[in-house]
Amino acid sequence: MSRTVRFAIGSVVIAALVLALKLGAWALTGSVALLADALESVVNVAAAIAALVAVHYSAMPADANHPYGHTKAEYFSAVLEGALIVIAAVAILHEAWGVWRVPRALEQPGLGLMVSAFATGINAAWAVLLFRQGRRGRSPALLADARHLVADVVTSLGVISGVGLVALTGILWIDPLLAALTALNILWSGGRLVRESVGGLMDEAVEPGLLARIRGAVSTHAEGAIEAHDLRTRHAGRLTFIEFHLVVPGTMTVDAAHAICDRVEAALKAEIEGAIITIHVEPEGKAKHHGVLVL
């Protein structure tokens, strides 16, 4: 079992524990803001399960029907998580509107806030671990989970502060207002998550910083070639696909051209973890610029 899969399993366990604690905090206080916080944790549980399935599936090797592997499976998990966040936000807004119209006093706010703060601490610690493993394993599913947990922690801190203010002042309308703000916050984070995941599914090019590193590696290590052009890139989970045409002198032997390709591939793989490289060698008549290596 890989570390990424173990972390995905851990996310399911942590999400279920935090959900139970937050539901307990809501039951103790009757606060709609704490209920909103708990509903977001329902999303966390569902998303953690989806991430576990996606991480397991994406780790499967390439086969005859999937020659490029299964790494894009993780993007489906992230899209699902974003959709669940939107559903949770709508449910929270509905509940907040009801309490806004008919305010109700809080019960046992001190104990409820202590339970909620403990659950938030667990989420914060797990988010840090997920970020580390997500970046190490280049896992969109784990990184999506980590980003959502960070948003959850920020939201929870705001909710805890607000519910504490309600308990101290007795101003009951603060509670549904906090719930509504919580819903809008997670709605925004869900929309951003869906946007990023759809970009991966649509084979969006790599970000400008990484593209510059690719250009630099090719330019530095393609000595002997005339130029490189038609560069195309895309992400698929932890893999980065890089394709381009390499123009060499017409008199160059196949062995010499292949040696240049090997040198460029080695440089790219050293620079970019998980790089999958395809180089199409062309004769000098295909050059678009003469005397300059251009991508």
Side-chain angles (χ1 to χ4, degrees):
M1 185 185 298
S2 70
R3 281 178 58 87
T4 299
V5 173
R6 288 199 297 271
F7 268 83
I9 293 173
S11 286
V12 176
V13 175
I14 293 294
L17 173 61
V18 169
L19 171 60
L21 289 170
K22 288 187 175 182
L23 286 174
W26 165 63
L28 286 168
T29 63
S31 165
V32 68
L34 290 179
L35 173 60
D37 207 19
L39 283 176
E40 188 171 8
S41 292
V42 172
V43 176
N44 287 350
V45 174
I49 294 172
L52 173 59
V53 174
V55 166
H56 173 72
Y57 190 71
S58 69
M60 295 173 62
D63 55 37
N65 290 327
H66 305 88
Y68 291 98
H70 302 77
T71 51
K72 279 194 175 183
E74 294 195 35
Y75 290 120
F76 290 99
S77 166
V79 169
L80 174 61
E81 185 172 346
L84 289 173
I85 288 172
V86 173
I87 294 171
V90 173
I92 293 168
L93 287 171
H94 179 267
E95 186 69 19
W97 175 243
V99 176
W100 178 270
R101 294 174 63 188
V102 185
R104 53 177 179 254
L106 303 183
E107 303 173 9
Q108 303 186 70
L111 182 57
L113 289 175
M114 287 176 60
V115 173
S116 183
F118 180 60
T120 300
I122 294 175
N123 261 351
W126 189 247
V128 171
L129 293 175
L130 279 182
F131 265 123
R132 290 177 181 173
Q133 181 57 32
R135 291 191 180 107
R136 184 182 295 121
R138 300 193 64 195
S139 168
L142 291 188
L143 288 174
D145 238 3
R147 283 193 294 269
H148 179 51
L149 284 182
V150 169
D152 192 13
V153 168
V154 173
T155 300
S156 297
L157 291 174
V159 167
I160 291 170
S161 301
V163 173
L165 185 61
V166 173
L168 289 173
T169 65
I171 304 175
L172 300 183
W173 56 262
I174 295 177
D175 188 38
L177 177 62
L178 279 172
L181 292 175
T182 299
L184 293 176
N185 178 62
I186 67 173
L187 190 62
W188 176 81
S189 66
R192 184 179 63 177
L193 184 58
V194 170
R195 160 68 185 85
E196 292 175 356
S197 301
V198 168
L201 289 173
M202 294 295 292
D203 289 334
E204 192 174 69
V206 302
E207 59 274 17
L210 180 55
L211 185 60
R213 288 164 55 196
I214 293 172
R215 292 177 184 271
V218 175
S219 298
T220 302
H221 295 88
E223 183 181 355
I226 296 173
E227 73 166 33
H229 59 242
D230 293 348
L231 172 66
R232 297 192 299 174
T233 62
R234 64 184 176 93
H235 281 307
R238 64 185 178 278
L239 302 180
T240 301
F241 288 85
I242 305 168
E243 304 175 16
F244 60 90
H245 294 190
L246 187 70
V247 181
V248 300
T251 56
M252 181 174 284
T253 64
V254 173
D255 281 345
H258 194 270
I260 296 174
C261 293
D262 285 344
R263 192 166 65 241
V264 172
E265 285 186 20
L268 287 171
K269 289 181 177 179
E271 180 73 21
I272 304 161
E273 184 180 358
I276 305 296
I277 304 148
T278 302
I279 304 175
H280 176 68
V281 177
E282 296 182 325
E284 55 190 305
K286 298 290 186 178
K288 297 181 179 180
H289 300 78
H290 293 279
V292 181
L293 191 66
V294 178
L295 290 173

